Amino acid sequence: MLKYLLKRILFFVPTIWIISLLTFSLSVNSPGDPVDIMLNTAGESGQNADKQAKQKEYDAMREKLHLNLPVFYFDISSLAEPDTLYKIPKKLHRENLDRLVSMYGNWPLVSAYYHQIEGTEKKVDQISAPDSLKDELIKARLLISELYYKYDEVVLREKHKKISEALHKINPSFDYDHSLLVSYDDMVLHLATWKNYLPSFHWNGYQNQYHIWLTNLFKGDFGTSYYHKRSVLDLISERIMPTIVYSFLSIIIAFLVSIPLGVSAAVTRGTKKEKVITILLFILYSLPSFWIGTLLINYFTNPIFFDWFPSTGLKDFDDQAGFFERLSNYVDHMVLPLFCYTYSSFAFISRQMRGSMIQTLNQDYIRTAWAKGLSERKIYWKHALRNSLLPLITLMSSVFPSLIAGSVVIEYLFTLPGMGLLAYESEVSKDYPVIYIIMLFSAALTLIGYLVADILYAIVDPRISYGKK
Amino acid sequence: MSENKFSYRKHVWQQFKKNKPALFAFRFISVMAVIALCASILANEKPLYCKYKGDTYFPAFREYAVDMGIVKWPKELLNISWKTEEYESVVWAPVPYGSTEFDYMNDRYKSPMDEQDVKSTRWHHWLGTDEQGRDVLSGVIHGTQTAFVVGIVSVGITLLIGIFLGAVAGYYGDHDLQISRVRFWINFIFLPMAFFYGFQVRSYSISDAFAESAYSGFVQIFLSFLVFLLVMFILNVLIWPLKKISFLGTKVAFPIDLIINRIIEVVVSVPGLILIMAVVAVIAKPSVFVVMILIGLMGWTGIARFVRAEMLRVKKMEFMEAAKAFGYSDFRSIVKHALPNCMTPVFIAAAFGIAGAILTESTLSFLGIGVAPEDVTWGSLLNAGRSNQNAHWLILTPGIAIFIVVTFFNLIGEGLTDALDPRQKK
């Protein structure tokens, strides 16, 4: 038993580790520069005066988010790609450089070109122009800043031409554009694309983003939300209560309703009544919950039809409300969402219950019980029920993930401030850290559900042996 | 002998026919499949047939060919507004509205019962319109097409992956896949290299293709996968002489079953909806096409488990021993002899899988996740109805359509269970 448990937990570790890798690789590949998003500077192009201050702020935030480190323990890249690319601060610059390397393969020259852009930008920032030519200067600066994000040769040549034109209008003796052009030609002419086809392996050590991300997870630091600018852990712990309460209540209700339903269906199997109930349950099972939810909101919270229930939220009482007022208010808000949560599991669980009950009723010991002259009630509800409850343990563990997924829809429909709504909101506002942590979280919860189910099974059913078959 | 030949297929069909609800569902779904296939003929803003400036055209039919990329629109038809042109003679589609066509005369939620600003009853919006004046009936018809495509594509992917992995895991188990030591280690070490040539070298072809369209993106990924396999194949050919060295050539068991089971556990443990949400968030241009592929990539675990379990059963049967005794290759034994006997649960799971895929997709498009503006799905229609509580026609029809398709595919699954697997029926 203990050996089985240990083995089971040991298997749990690689699974969750792979999921963490998956989550991390998604978060690394999410669009946008995290630093810019955190600083709210995405899309801004700074003016001269505060450019340096901005750069400092940027670097500080980058360090804080550990983005100045390599991504993973090791890199498998091409020979052309430098292993120090992560040191380039701006993510978009980095991506563009990576693209240029993949096109030309010659990192030293690509890097020289990049520095040339930087140098030109700095020089052009310092020059001043008479009022009549201010527009030209602004145009030139804009064009130069665009060079960082372009890789297509035709586009780049066009831009270079325009930059020289603008600069020469200001002062014909400027030759910053010349060195830029030379370094660009250098890069384009000295092709080393073969380097892209040779793999290279590079070990980065423990100081990498993944390592820090993982150790932070263990420390309880789940990162910061892009949108709320708050710790993800805080957000989740704020939002988790309603989801837990609703899920828990709906599981209880679902089992309380479905177990008797399943038992009575098994007992009265073959009769017309049972067939009708089965068909009804089947229909319930196929009804999409988001449709039922929409219909319920439309017809039962609408003054035109029946204004019986509040449509959104958890509660709407004021502070002076008494206990019973509060309670009834909570219950009022719960009726429709709980119905949406539970109705589809009625059919699912009671079907399983019916199946396992029928199996039990065919057992010898039930026949013995009949022969002993036990009452019908005792046989069904005491002897048979207990043994047919076992498969429900497995069911419980599979209800769990579907509840998490269901909570997204139902909390969205009824605007319940829970985890599901948080997932939806972060999806819409592209709040990547929150989405990925919720994904990791729900995966961990599901795995724990399976683990608990297996352990419960082992405890409850001594027939199951977990040794080597 | 041939006259009384027992045909398994016939037998199953006879058994299936006994289940009246399932038979009804099957017939109804067939009708819906025809609707899905003919969606562009049934509901289209372009005429079915028209005589325009002396030439005869069949624009609605031509649309199919254009969509498939066989032909292009002729220049004179490229930029014309179909509704306002003067035709010498014209036949309109039964529902003369496209699913994304805006009828500005009848926008802002025109109810089917309302007075509508149309030329005649022929142009009436029989199921009303939405906020922008899109015809709901046309949307439902085109949504049927989307739903069927979603169901078929995602279950197709599910079947491919599920059957392959399930069969391999079940047939070989942890001990029966014997490979030489050198092959084991070389494959293990050079897996990253194959990955490098397949995906890293081609990473910009893939991302550029995705920026263009999801379809060409997946084509590029598929090509990358082929490159990956090719590199692995070449490596395995190259190391063949090394096997002659006795130490390197010793056979070791490759625990394929264990590995596939771990993969299944990983996929199962993340709730599908959340995983799709997380992946869609990263994709620059999500569309229904992307969503259906993701549903397929996430839904194969059930089928893999079923096939694996069946394979474990079939493997021990006598005819499999006979196949081995004849010296048939593993491939032939699996594909020709074992797999046909494992398909029972697969058919059933596929029927339920289509229902599930359609439900997942409509849930996502209801939430507005992963639908491009030009995609018309039942879920997105329903979502449009949510913003106006009084527009019940926007909620009822798409909802009923989803309900019917899901219920009927489930009923077919039930019927198949009874027909194929009588043991289940008690």
Side-chain angles (χ1 to χ4, degrees):
Chain A
M1 179 73 195
L2 198 70
K3 210 172 141 198
Y4 167 75
L5 274 184
L6 276 178
K7 201 174 139 196
R8 191 67 190 69
I9 292 169
L10 222 68
F11 272 149
F12 177 81
V13 176
T15 311
I16 195 84
W17 178 68
I18 289 173
I19 292 169
S20 88
L21 271 181
L22 197 79
T23 317
F24 180 73
S25 63
L26 275 175
S27 74
V28 167
N29 287 314
S30 53
D33 186 347
V35 183
D36 272 339
I37 298 171
M38 287 305 288
L39 291 172
N40 278 334
T41 51
E44 273 177 37
S45 59
Q47 290 309 307
N48 302 340
D50 51 24
K51 222 171 200 173
Q52 265 186 335
K54 278 251 170 71
Q55 188 61 40
K56 238 181 203 160
E57 205 184 357
Y58 185 97
D59 288 342
M61 181 51 94
R62 185 160 177 260
E63 204 149 310
K64 201 179 146 209
L65 296 172
H66 307 293
L67 293 172
N68 54 343
L69 297 173
V71 174
F72 200 60
Y73 295 104
F74 58 83
D75 281 321
I76 295 171
S77 56
S78 67
L79 207 58
E81 268 172 79
D83 46 29
T84 49
L85 195 63
Y86 65 87
K87 286 183 180 156
I88 307 287
K90 298 248 180 194
K91 186 180 174 187
L92 294 172
H93 294 190
R94 211 156 53 227
E95 283 170 358
N96 201 49
L97 284 176
D98 191 55
R99 179 70 139 202
L100 287 173
V101 169
S102 83
M103 285 167 75
Y104 303 115
N106 205 332
W107 170 244
L109 293 179
V110 173
S111 151
Y113 170 63
Y114 177 68
H115 290 304
Q116 201 62 56
I117 301 178
E118 277 186 327
T120 314
E121 190 184 26
K122 236 176 230 158
K123 279 183 198 154
V124 174
D125 275 347
Q126 281 158 5
I127 60 174
S128 54
D131 279 348
S132 58
L133 292 167
K134 266 250 146 71
D135 284 349
E136 291 298 324
L137 188 61
I138 290 170
K139 195 175 133 201
R141 280 178 185 160
L142 193 71
L143 281 166
I144 290 172
S145 68
E146 277 172 8
L147 290 181
Y148 287 114
Y149 313 110
K150 298 280 182 264
Y151 52 84
D152 189 69
E153 190 171 350
V154 181
V155 176
L156 276 174
R157 292 243 180 251
E158 181 73 12
K159 294 242 183 257
H160 287 157
K161 215 174 106 194
K162 278 187 186 159
I163 291 170
S164 347
E165 277 171 11
L167 286 179
H168 284 280
K169 254 183 218 166
I170 301 166
N171 185 343
S173 68
F174 281 152
D175 63 344
Y176 311 138
D177 54 301
H178 180 69
S179 43
L180 192 66
L181 213 60
V182 168
S183 73
Y184 183 72
D185 281 337
D186 245 9
M187 176 178 81
V188 176
L189 290 175
H190 294 90
L191 279 181
T193 31
W194 57 271
K195 279 187 177 171
N196 280 315
Y197 297 97
L198 288 180
S200 83
F201 181 87
H202 186 255
W203 178 256
N204 289 326
Y206 291 104
Q207 279 297 309
N208 62 57
Q209 291 179 30
Y210 177 72
H211 190 80
I212 291 175
W213 180 79
L214 198 67
T215 40
N216 278 348
L217 278 188
F218 281 114
K219 284 185 212 152
D221 175 7
F222 289 3
T224 315
S225 151
Y226 286 172
Y227 182 74
H228 300 273
K229 304 275 186 291
R230 289 174 48 202
S231 140
V232 178
L233 186 66
D234 277 359
L235 271 176
I236 287 180
S237 53
E238 218 169 72
R239 293 295 197 86
I240 201 162
M241 234 14 227
T243 307
I244 287 183
V245 170
Y246 274 73
S247 311
F248 197 67
L249 280 176
S250 67
I251 288 182
I252 290 177
I253 293 173
F255 276 86
L256 278 183
V257 174
S258 338
I259 290 175
L261 258 178
V263 171
S264 67
V267 170
T268 60
R269 65 183 179 279
T271 62
K272 210 160 211 164
K273 189 183 129 205
E274 190 257 344
K275 273 183 187 156
V276 172
I277 291 180
T278 309
I279 290 175
L280 276 181
L281 285 177
F282 191 80
I283 291 175
L284 267 190
Y285 175 63
S286 306
L287 282 170
S289 62
F290 61 90
W291 185 47
I292 292 300
T294 315
L295 286 179
L296 288 176
I297 291 179
N298 218 12
Y299 293 111
F300 289 102
T301 67
N302 189 343
I304 297 174
F305 301 100
F306 307 97
D307 195 8
W308 290 354
F309 297 103
S311 62
T312 57
L314 288 173
K315 55 174 196 223
D316 52 7
F317 50 75
D318 42 29
D319 291 338
Q320 284 96 39
F323 175 73
F324 286 104
E325 203 177 319
R326 280 172 190 231
L327 190 72
S328 72
N329 194 289
Y330 271 124
V331 172
D332 253 5
H333 282 84
M334 265 180 194
V335 174
L336 295 183
L338 274 187
F339 180 76
C340 283
Y341 261 121
T342 46
Y343 76 84
S344 68
S345 39
F346 289 164
F348 186 56
I349 300 173
S350 63
R351 258 175 86 84
Q352 299 281 329
M353 191 62 218
R354 174 175 172 271
S356 90
M357 187 74 179
I358 288 174
Q359 224 163 31
T360 320
L361 287 179
N362 289 334
Q363 303 270 329
D364 285 340
Y365 72 92
I366 297 292
R367 206 175 306 142
T368 316
W370 282 112
K372 254 168 60 178
L374 286 183
S375 72
E376 208 172 275
R377 201 188 163 78
K378 230 176 180 174
I379 292 173
Y380 291 146
W381 296 100
K382 197 174 164 207
H383 294 272
L385 178 65
R386 274 197 193 171
N387 280 308
S388 32
L389 280 178
L390 278 180
L392 290 193
I393 295 177
T394 323
L395 213 61
M396 189 102 139
S397 64
S398 67
V399 163
F400 220 62
S402 69
L403 271 179
I404 297 174
S407 71
V408 178
V409 176
I410 291 162
E411 287 175 8
Y412 164 73
L413 270 171
F414 294 95
T415 339
L416 305 171
M419 286 266 282
L421 191 65
L422 184 65
Y424 173 77
E425 286 169 354
S426 4
E427 174 84 18
V428 173
S429 59
K430 303 269 171 206
D431 197 346
Y432 299 109
V434 182
I435 304 175
Y436 300 130
I437 291 300
I438 288 179
M439 176 179 145
L440 197 64
F441 208 73
S442 50
L445 277 182
T446 314
L447 280 174
I448 291 170
Y450 289 150
L451 192 71
V452 170
D454 277 3
I455 293 169
L456 270 183
Y457 236 121
I459 294 170
V460 174
D461 193 347
R463 282 173 305 179
I464 300 166
S465 76
Y466 291 99
K468 205 170 179 184
K469 277 161 214 158
Chain B
M1 177 193 164
S2 61
E3 269 175 50
N4 291 328
K5 201 180 153 198
F6 175 79
S7 156
Y8 180 65
R9 214 173 281 173
K10 222 181 211 170
H11 170 73
V12 167
W13 176 236
Q14 252 153 19
Q15 288 294 316
F16 185 79
K17 272 205 290 194
K18 280 186 196 157
N19 188 332
K20 286 277 149 21
L23 187 67
F24 176 73
F26 180 72
R27 292 195 171 135
F28 201 96
I29 289 288
S30 309
V31 173
M32 287 191 90
V34 173
I35 293 179
L37 211 61
C38 304
S40 291
I41 300 170
L42 289 171
N44 207 324
E45 79 238 59
K46 304 181 188 75
L48 294 179
Y49 156 83
C50 66
K51 209 162 179 198
Y52 175 62
K53 289 182 187 162
D55 287 317
T56 310
Y57 298 104
F58 296 92
F61 294 95
R62 198 180 181 97
E63 199 177 69
Y64 279 102
V66 172
D67 284 347
M68 276 186 272
I70 303 169
V71 291
K72 288 208 168 82
W73 288 110
K75 246 187 222 133
E76 64 272 19
L77 294 185
L78 209 53
N79 282 319
I80 69 170
S81 68
W82 296 96
K83 287 284 162 59
T84 50
E85 262 347 288
E86 289 289 324
Y87 302 103
E88 281 120 68
S89 64
V90 62
V91 178
W92 293 100
V95 180
Y97 293 102
S99 55
T100 49
E101 183 198 359
F102 304 120
D103 182 357
Y104 295 110
M105 309 303 286
N106 293 298
D107 57 358
R108 306 213 177 170
Y109 307 105
K110 277 278 167 12
S111 154
M113 272 75 87
D114 276 353
E115 185 99 356
Q116 294 177 357
D117 187 6
V118 287
K119 281 181 265 179
S120 67
T121 7
R122 175 75 179 82
W123 299 87
H124 193 77
H125 296 278
W126 293 105
L127 289 179
T129 63
D130 71 355
E131 196 182 1
Q132 284 102 25
R134 283 177 296 196
D135 186 65
V136 176
L137 181 55
S138 176
V140 170
I141 290 173
H142 283 268
T144 314
Q145 193 174 35
T146 314
F148 271 78
V149 173
V150 166
I152 290 165
V153 170
S154 49
V155 170
I157 296 170
T158 299
L159 289 177
L160 276 181
I161 305 175
I163 292 176
F164 176 72
L165 290 183
V168 168
Y171 186 81
Y172 290 110
D174 276 343
H175 307 291
D176 289 347
L177 187 63
Q178 302 274 338
I179 51 174
S180 59
R181 199 170 271 159
V182 59
R183 184 158 289 184
F184 180 86
W185 284 109
I186 293 284
N187 275 312
F188 185 72
I189 293 166
F190 285 93
L191 209 66
M193 200 173 109
F195 183 82
F196 170 79
Y197 283 112
F199 294 93
Q200 202 137 350
V201 168
R202 308 191 70 255
S203 63
Y204 282 113
S205 339
I206 295 174
S207 60
D208 285 352
F210 264 111
E212 190 189 317
S213 77
Y215 172 73
S216 48
F218 281 113
V219 169
Q220 288 296 330
I221 284 200
F222 183 71
L223 285 178
S224 278
F225 191 67
L226 287 186
V227 173
F228 176 83
L229 289 181
L230 189 75
V231 173
M232 291 310 278
F233 178 75
I234 293 171
L235 259 173
N236 278 291
V237 172
L238 285 180
I239 57 176
W240 186 68
L242 284 176
K243 270 167 50 177
K244 303 252 163 66
I245 303 166
S246 74
F247 172 75
L248 294 175
T250 318
K251 300 271 186 188
V252 287
F254 185 68
I256 188 81
D257 192 28
L258 183 87
I259 290 172
I260 290 177
N261 274 320
R262 285 314 98 199
I263 298 175
I264 291 178
E265 200 176 81
V266 169
V267 177
V268 163
S269 64
V270 189
L273 194 74
I274 305 248
L275 187 51
I276 294 176
M277 279 170 72
V279 176
V280 163
V282 183
I283 293 172
K285 266 198 232 157
S287 67
V288 171
F289 185 74
V290 175
V291 168
M292 61 180 119
I293 288 194
L294 287 176
I295 294 174
L297 291 179
M298 259 136 241
W300 52 271
T301 51
I303 286 178
R305 278 177 171 170
F306 286 134
V307 173
R308 178 178 170 272
E310 284 290 292
M311 198 56 121
L312 287 175
R313 182 178 66 82
V314 169
K315 192 168 77 167
K316 295 198 187 90
M317 292 197 167
E318 276 156 7
F319 67 87
M320 289 304 289
E321 265 165 47
K324 210 175 238 170
F326 274 128
Y328 289 165
S329 68
D330 282 354
F331 181 76
R332 183 168 174 182
S333 310
I334 294 178
V335 173
K336 282 196 89 172
H337 302 282
L339 266 186
N341 290 294
C342 301
M343 292 315 263
T344 310
V346 173
F347 288 127
I348 299 166
F352 287 121
I354 292 179
I358 293 176
L359 198 59
T360 310
E361 192 283 319
S362 52
T363 308
L364 282 165
S365 52
F366 173 72
L367 292 172
I369 294 166
V371 273
E374 70 271 13
D375 291 330
V376 179
T377 72
W378 291 335
S380 62
L381 282 173
L382 247 171
N383 193 22
R386 227 177 84 83
S387 39
N388 184 348
Q389 282 217 325
N390 302 321
H392 52 84
W393 59 93
L394 265 172
I395 299 169
L396 282 176
T397 17
I400 290 171
I402 298 170
F403 166 62
I404 286 178
V405 168
V406 171
T407 317
F408 284 6
F409 269 113
N410 280 338
L411 274 176
I412 292 175
E414 291 277 306
L416 278 176
T417 315
D418 291 349
L420 291 166
D421 200 359
R423 281 170 303 167
Q424 291 261 323
K425 200 178 179 184
K426 290 196 184 89

